[in-house]
Amino acid sequence: MSSLLAHDTGTGSPPDRGDPRTVRLLTPDGVRQTSGEYAARVADLDDAALLGLYTDMVVIRRIDQEATALQRQGELALWPPLLGQEAAQIGSARALEHDDFVFSSYREHGVAWVRGATTAELCRVWRGIAVAGWDPYRIGMATPQVIIGAQTLHATGYAIGAKYDGAASAVVSYFGDGATSEGDTSEAMVFAVTYGAPVVFFCQNNQWAISEPVGLQAPTGIAARAAGFGLPSVTVDGNDVLAVLAVTREALERARAGEGPSFIEAVTYRMGPHTTADDPTRYRTADEVEAWKAKDPVARLAAYLRGTGALTDDVDAEVAATAQRAAAALRADCTALGEPDGESIFDDVYAEPHPVLEAQRTRFLAYREGFEEER
Amino acid sequence: MSATMTLGGAIGAGLRQAMTADPKVLLLGEDIGKLGGVYRVTDGLQRDFGPQRVMDTPLAESGILGTAVGLAYRGYRPVCEIQFDGFVYPAFDQIVSQVSRMHARTKGAVTMPITIRIPVGGGIGSAEHHSDSPEAYFAHTPGLRVMSVADPQSAYSLIQEAVACDDPVLFFEPKRRYHLKGEVATDGAPAAGGMSRARVLRHGTDVTVLTFGGLVQVALDAAEAASEEGLSLEVIDLVSLSPIDWPAVTESVRRTGRAVVVHEAAQTGGIGAELAAGITERCFFHLEHAVVRVTGWDIPYPPAKLERHHLPDLDRVLDGVDAALGRPSSYGEQAFA
Ligand SMILES: Cc1ncc(C[n+]2csc(CCOP(=O)(O)OP(=O)(O)O)c2C)c(N)n1
Ligand SMILES: [Mg+2]
């Protein structure tokens, strides 16, 4: 009985499991580790580069905050906040090359930002005027996926194709802890291993899948699963941007070297609600949220950079101003997004002419015309 | 005894009744326990019946339906919640290849008394995959019963009937009606057979309007508007989409000689196609006009801000009624050429 109920009383994992196998290069109070295999992978990052990562994180947090406000004000229909996951997203996305490709879920605004999505593109879907924000080929990132887990297979297929083409591209698939339960995710790992696909499975374990704690999906841990499929895996402190960058670089290098897929579990925390429609007080305690605040990814990097002297009050004010400009652009671009014409719902359903649908379009137009005449 | 309930609350109350009546009834789904489901339909049930009878499952729809098959094999009566219409597809294989066929496969030795509850349809400004109307896929599948509820009272009674039914039942709950309030009589056993019976909600003589779920109120509003122009529409809530209550449908259409079917799902291969064919077969010599379909277009569900161009509303129902009466309409001559 107790094991059956184990998940039921569970909440998210404690912020620090103290697992020595978890890769961490910045301690929560901002001390940088400089020795070891992973530290070597990011040894090239000087203070200026770290300040760049810091700026990314501050900017995307500010954008996220603005989008949440836009939702509250009725300008967006919904928004899934990334608050708390900035390091996991920025650190991994900054490891990517231009020709790499991303297949993500809906919460990866930080990844999209790094890939080059504009503020308008970040808003389009959530404003309810489109089901895709950007041209996937322009920024090297597929339309974020709503069907949990589906994108893991897409990433794998794309990676197989890139391999067949002899390209140097690698692919990253982002998904959540909840997504690890879907059959698609397991199937993706099977295919990736079978074909030696240059794909990185990047799981942001943010402790929650809506109201379900990660223990309900994976009582024995997520990263450990990969071994059963034949993938190397690593658990990384997902609130440590340096460590995330290091493990993602390693996995991408492996992919590009023809050594096949890898699995990364980035342990992080969804500090906000699942979406703006969610009320997390129904399923998790304020204490848990507080405990994770002490591990804040942005504050951690700030502490380190303050220690080195790179982040002064003046510099921080500049970063804040940059973030403020991005937020203002988001607001302006979002509210300027008009509604497409109704007839556009018939566009692009098929790549080739479809007479039945075209007849429906004709009827739609006739209906609308008749309706307007009546007025 | 009666109480005021929302449609969602009535389903929850009906589930509570069903769980109290039969200890083999158990609920499975994502976020249905502590959270009470994203629409709070199962609110309080895990608290009162425990985590073994109200199971928050891992995030896997095929897993939910597949384990429900095993539980049913073992004598349980699982009620599965699929969080949104668009998330039933990962479970499609288990439903179509296993749930629907098990009774026939085993020559009746094994029953699959599984209820699959699905919040359905649009009109709520939701994100992609949160507004689908997939009922036709299931109505097309032999072995499944498919139904949709439209008001608190029938929701309360019919969910209990669905759970008690020894066949698998797809139970569609129109999201746009979840918060609709109504008086619900909670005493006495629900009328047996109600889940397979259509309901005439408004009597009329000129045209029969056939619909279900989220569009029932739209059809009633259209009938009210039409009456102001001296037109008498009969409005039928089909309730059951498999089996269709043909006696109720034919009785009405033979009287009016004209039928308009209204649903949110795309037209091609939809429930409207089955109704049009069945009505033609049964009422051919009584028909004054071809059956008219007022449906969503044959497109993927559009983004929220454009859904009003897709969904049948009062005016589009009246446009269809005009077509059925042979009056000028968007359907024109060529639609029936
Ligand atoms: C196939 C499918 N089932 C259910 C849902 C509803 N749903 C949306 S998000 C979510 C939780 C996802 O959790 P996780 O994978 O951990 O990602 P996170 O939201 O934490 O980023 C669920 C159940 C869905 N979108 N797709
Ligand atoms: Mg999660």
Side-chain angles (χ1 to χ4, degrees), chain A residues 85 105-108 146-148 175-180 182 204 206 208-210 270 274, chain B residues 30-31 59 61 83-84 86-87 90 130:
Chain A
Q85 300 178 220
S105 185
Y106 42 80
R107 203 183 297 287
E108 281 71 62
V146 173
I147 299 297
I148 301 297
F175 52 97
D177 43 292
T180 61
E182 288 283 6
Q204 287 174 87
N206 65 4
W208 291 96
I210 310 187
R270 190 195 83 210
H274 171 67
Chain B
E30 295 157 8
D31 305 290
L59 208 179
E61 293 74 15
Q83 197 162 82
F84 279 91
F87 310 144
H130 292 71

Side-chain angles (χ1 to χ4, degrees), chain A residues 101-104 142 145 149-165 169-175 182-202 229 231 255 260-263:
Chain A
F101 213 87
V102 169
F103 288 84
S104 82
Q145 183 57 243
Q151 76 278 14
T152 58
L153 280 163
H154 307 165
T156 301
Y158 188 100
I160 293 169
K163 182 179 172 179
Y164 284 177
D165 291 343
S169 311
V171 185
V172 178
S173 179
Y174 289 89
F175 52 97
E182 288 283 6
D184 278 5
T185 307
S186 288
E187 292 175 28
M189 289 192 266
V190 171
F191 274 64
V193 170
T194 294
Y195 295 104
V199 60
V200 178
F201 295 101
F202 193 96
F229 292 95
L231 279 91
S262 320
F263 190 101

Side-chain angles (χ1 to χ4, degrees), chain B residues 15-26:
Chain B
L15 287 171
R16 180 178 289 277
Q17 269 305 113
M19 295 181 78
T20 306
D22 181 351
K24 290 293 190 189
V25 173
L26 43 82

Side-chain angles (χ1 to χ4, degrees), chain B residues 215-278:
Chain B
L215 293 182
V216 166
Q217 191 57 49
V218 172
L220 286 169
D221 293 346
E224 188 57 34
S227 76
E228 284 157 24
E229 293 172 28
L231 268 182
S232 167
L233 305 189
E234 179 142 310
V235 177
I236 295 184
D237 173 5
L238 291 163
V239 181
S240 179
L241 308 177
S242 178
I244 285 168
D245 183 356
W246 285 117
V249 172
T250 52
E251 189 283 321
S252 175
V253 177
R254 283 180 185 172
R255 235 181 330 98
T256 61
R258 301 171 199 271
V260 174
V261 190
V262 184
H263 60 63
E264 289 186 27
Q267 177 167 301
T268 298
I271 294 294
E274 181 58 28
L275 280 160

Side-chain angles (χ1 to χ4, degrees), chain B residues 154-172:
Chain B
S154 34
Y156 174 78
S157 315
L158 299 185
I159 187 64
Q160 293 180 62
E161 236 188 278
V163 174
C165 178
D166 278 342
D167 287 322
V169 179
L170 273 289
F171 191 87
F172 286 105

